[in-house]
Short mmCIF file of all heavy atoms in Angstrom, two decimals:
data_model
loop_
_atom_site.label_atom_id
_atom_site.label_comp_id
_atom_site.label_asym_id
_atom_site.label_seq_id
_atom_site.Cartn_x
_atom_site.Cartn_y
_atom_site.Cartn_z
N MET A 1 127.75 179.79 136.46
CA MET A 1 127.20 180.01 137.78
C MET A 1 126.53 181.38 137.86
O MET A 1 126.98 182.32 137.25
CB MET A 1 128.32 179.95 138.83
CG MET A 1 128.86 178.58 139.05
SD MET A 1 127.60 177.64 139.88
CE MET A 1 128.59 176.48 140.72
N SER A 2 125.50 181.43 138.66
CA SER A 2 124.75 182.66 138.85
C SER A 2 125.13 183.25 140.20
O SER A 2 125.31 182.52 141.17
CB SER A 2 123.26 182.34 138.82
OG SER A 2 122.50 183.49 139.04
N PRO A 3 125.23 184.58 140.30
CA PRO A 3 125.55 185.20 141.59
C PRO A 3 124.36 185.08 142.55
O PRO A 3 123.22 184.92 142.12
CB PRO A 3 125.79 186.66 141.23
CG PRO A 3 125.01 186.88 139.98
CD PRO A 3 125.05 185.56 139.24
N SER A 4 124.63 185.16 143.84
CA SER A 4 123.54 185.14 144.81
C SER A 4 122.81 186.48 144.77
O SER A 4 123.39 187.51 144.42
CB SER A 4 124.08 184.86 146.21
OG SER A 4 124.88 185.94 146.64
N ILE A 5 121.56 186.44 145.12
CA ILE A 5 120.73 187.64 145.17
C ILE A 5 120.32 187.87 146.62
O ILE A 5 119.76 186.98 147.26
CB ILE A 5 119.45 187.49 144.31
CG1 ILE A 5 119.77 187.07 142.88
CG2 ILE A 5 118.61 188.76 144.37
CD1 ILE A 5 120.49 188.10 142.06
N ASN A 6 120.60 189.04 147.14
CA ASN A 6 120.18 189.40 148.48
C ASN A 6 118.86 190.16 148.36
O ASN A 6 118.81 191.26 147.81
CB ASN A 6 121.25 190.26 149.16
CG ASN A 6 120.87 190.61 150.57
OD1 ASN A 6 119.89 191.32 150.80
ND2 ASN A 6 121.63 190.09 151.52
N ILE A 7 117.79 189.56 148.87
CA ILE A 7 116.47 190.16 148.72
C ILE A 7 116.39 191.52 149.40
O ILE A 7 115.82 192.47 148.85
CB ILE A 7 115.38 189.21 149.25
CG1 ILE A 7 115.32 187.96 148.36
CG2 ILE A 7 114.02 189.89 149.30
CD1 ILE A 7 114.43 186.86 148.88
N GLU A 8 116.95 191.66 150.59
CA GLU A 8 116.90 192.94 151.30
C GLU A 8 117.64 194.03 150.51
O GLU A 8 117.18 195.16 150.42
CB GLU A 8 117.47 192.82 152.71
CG GLU A 8 116.58 192.03 153.66
CD GLU A 8 115.25 192.71 153.97
OE1 GLU A 8 115.09 193.94 153.77
OE2 GLU A 8 114.34 191.99 154.42
N ALA A 9 118.79 193.69 149.93
CA ALA A 9 119.52 194.66 149.12
C ALA A 9 118.73 195.03 147.87
O ALA A 9 118.68 196.20 147.47
CB ALA A 9 120.90 194.10 148.73
N ALA A 10 118.08 194.04 147.27
CA ALA A 10 117.25 194.32 146.08
C ALA A 10 116.09 195.23 146.45
O ALA A 10 115.78 196.17 145.72
CB ALA A 10 116.76 193.01 145.48
N LEU A 11 115.47 194.99 147.59
CA LEU A 11 114.37 195.85 148.04
C LEU A 11 114.84 197.27 148.34
O LEU A 11 114.10 198.23 148.12
CB LEU A 11 113.70 195.24 149.28
CG LEU A 11 112.75 194.09 148.99
CD1 LEU A 11 112.46 193.30 150.26
CD2 LEU A 11 111.47 194.59 148.34
N ALA A 12 116.07 197.41 148.82
CA ALA A 12 116.60 198.74 149.10
C ALA A 12 116.68 199.59 147.83
O ALA A 12 116.62 200.82 147.89
CB ALA A 12 117.98 198.63 149.75
N GLY A 13 116.80 198.94 146.69
CA GLY A 13 116.86 199.65 145.42
C GLY A 13 115.50 200.02 144.85
O GLY A 13 115.41 200.72 143.84
N VAL A 14 114.42 199.57 145.48
CA VAL A 14 113.07 199.90 145.02
C VAL A 14 112.64 201.20 145.68
O VAL A 14 112.58 201.30 146.90
CB VAL A 14 112.07 198.77 145.38
CG1 VAL A 14 110.65 199.16 144.98
CG2 VAL A 14 112.48 197.47 144.70
N THR A 15 112.38 202.22 144.87
CA THR A 15 112.08 203.55 145.41
C THR A 15 110.60 203.94 145.29
O THR A 15 110.17 204.88 145.94
CB THR A 15 112.94 204.62 144.71
OG1 THR A 15 112.68 204.56 143.30
CG2 THR A 15 114.42 204.37 144.98
N GLU A 16 109.84 203.25 144.45
CA GLU A 16 108.43 203.58 144.25
C GLU A 16 107.56 202.42 144.68
O GLU A 16 107.86 201.27 144.38
CB GLU A 16 108.13 203.84 142.77
CG GLU A 16 108.67 205.11 142.19
CD GLU A 16 108.25 205.23 140.73
OE1 GLU A 16 107.04 205.38 140.48
OE2 GLU A 16 109.14 205.14 139.87
N HIS A 17 106.45 202.74 145.35
CA HIS A 17 105.47 201.71 145.68
C HIS A 17 104.80 201.22 144.40
O HIS A 17 104.61 202.00 143.46
CB HIS A 17 104.42 202.26 146.65
CG HIS A 17 105.02 202.59 147.98
ND1 HIS A 17 105.07 203.86 148.46
CD2 HIS A 17 105.62 201.81 148.91
CE1 HIS A 17 105.66 203.87 149.64
NE2 HIS A 17 106.01 202.62 149.94
N TRP A 18 104.46 199.94 144.37
CA TRP A 18 103.75 199.30 143.26
C TRP A 18 104.55 199.30 141.98
O TRP A 18 104.00 199.28 140.89
CB TRP A 18 102.38 199.95 143.04
CG TRP A 18 101.53 199.95 144.26
CD1 TRP A 18 101.21 201.03 145.02
CD2 TRP A 18 100.90 198.81 144.89
NE1 TRP A 18 100.43 200.64 146.08
CE2 TRP A 18 100.22 199.28 146.03
CE3 TRP A 18 100.86 197.45 144.59
CZ2 TRP A 18 99.51 198.44 146.87
CZ3 TRP A 18 100.15 196.62 145.44
CH2 TRP A 18 99.48 197.12 146.56
N SER A 19 105.86 199.36 142.06
CA SER A 19 106.73 199.36 140.89
C SER A 19 107.74 198.21 141.01
O SER A 19 108.88 198.41 141.42
CB SER A 19 107.44 200.71 140.78
OG SER A 19 108.15 200.79 139.57
N PRO A 20 107.33 196.98 140.65
CA PRO A 20 108.19 195.81 140.82
C PRO A 20 109.48 195.91 140.01
O PRO A 20 109.51 196.52 138.94
CB PRO A 20 107.35 194.64 140.32
CG PRO A 20 105.99 195.16 140.08
CD PRO A 20 106.06 196.64 140.02
N LYS A 21 110.52 195.28 140.54
CA LYS A 21 111.81 195.20 139.85
C LYS A 21 112.19 193.73 139.70
O LYS A 21 112.15 192.96 140.66
CB LYS A 21 112.90 195.93 140.63
CG LYS A 21 112.65 197.42 140.79
CD LYS A 21 112.61 198.13 139.46
CE LYS A 21 112.30 199.61 139.62
NZ LYS A 21 111.85 200.23 138.40
N VAL A 22 112.56 193.34 138.49
CA VAL A 22 112.99 191.97 138.22
C VAL A 22 114.38 191.78 138.80
O VAL A 22 115.30 192.55 138.52
CB VAL A 22 112.99 191.67 136.70
CG1 VAL A 22 113.58 190.30 136.42
CG2 VAL A 22 111.58 191.79 136.13
N VAL A 23 114.54 190.72 139.61
CA VAL A 23 115.83 190.43 140.22
C VAL A 23 116.38 189.07 139.78
O VAL A 23 117.51 188.72 140.11
CB VAL A 23 115.79 190.52 141.76
CG1 VAL A 23 115.49 191.94 142.20
CG2 VAL A 23 114.79 189.53 142.36
N GLY A 24 115.58 188.32 139.05
CA GLY A 24 116.03 187.01 138.58
C GLY A 24 115.04 186.40 137.62
O GLY A 24 113.93 186.90 137.43
N ARG A 25 115.49 185.31 137.01
CA ARG A 25 114.63 184.57 136.08
C ARG A 25 114.89 183.08 136.27
O ARG A 25 116.04 182.65 136.34
CB ARG A 25 114.92 184.98 134.64
CG ARG A 25 114.00 184.29 133.65
CD ARG A 25 114.19 184.82 132.25
NE ARG A 25 113.38 184.05 131.32
CZ ARG A 25 113.02 184.46 130.13
NH1 ARG A 25 113.41 185.65 129.69
NH2 ARG A 25 112.27 183.70 129.36
N VAL A 26 113.81 182.33 136.38
CA VAL A 26 113.86 180.88 136.46
C VAL A 26 113.01 180.35 135.31
O VAL A 26 111.78 180.50 135.35
CB VAL A 26 113.32 180.35 137.81
CG1 VAL A 26 113.39 178.84 137.86
CG2 VAL A 26 114.07 180.97 138.97
N ASN A 27 113.66 179.80 134.30
CA ASN A 27 112.95 179.35 133.10
C ASN A 27 112.08 180.49 132.56
O ASN A 27 112.61 181.54 132.24
CB ASN A 27 112.16 178.07 133.38
CG ASN A 27 113.06 176.93 133.82
OD1 ASN A 27 114.08 176.68 133.20
ND2 ASN A 27 112.68 176.25 134.89
N ASP A 28 110.77 180.31 132.50
CA ASP A 28 109.89 181.35 131.97
C ASP A 28 109.21 182.16 133.07
O ASP A 28 108.13 182.71 132.87
CB ASP A 28 108.84 180.73 131.05
CG ASP A 28 109.45 180.21 129.76
OD1 ASP A 28 110.52 180.72 129.34
OD2 ASP A 28 108.87 179.29 129.16
#
Side-chain angles (χ1 to χ4, degrees):
M1 289 290 207
S2 178
S4 66
I5 307 292
N6 182 295
I7 294 171
E8 289 294 341
L11 282 163
V14 176
T15 58
E16 288 182 67
H17 294 115
W18 304 108
S19 187
K21 298 298 178 198
V22 174
V23 295
R25 183 173 175 160
V26 180
N27 300 313
D28 290 334

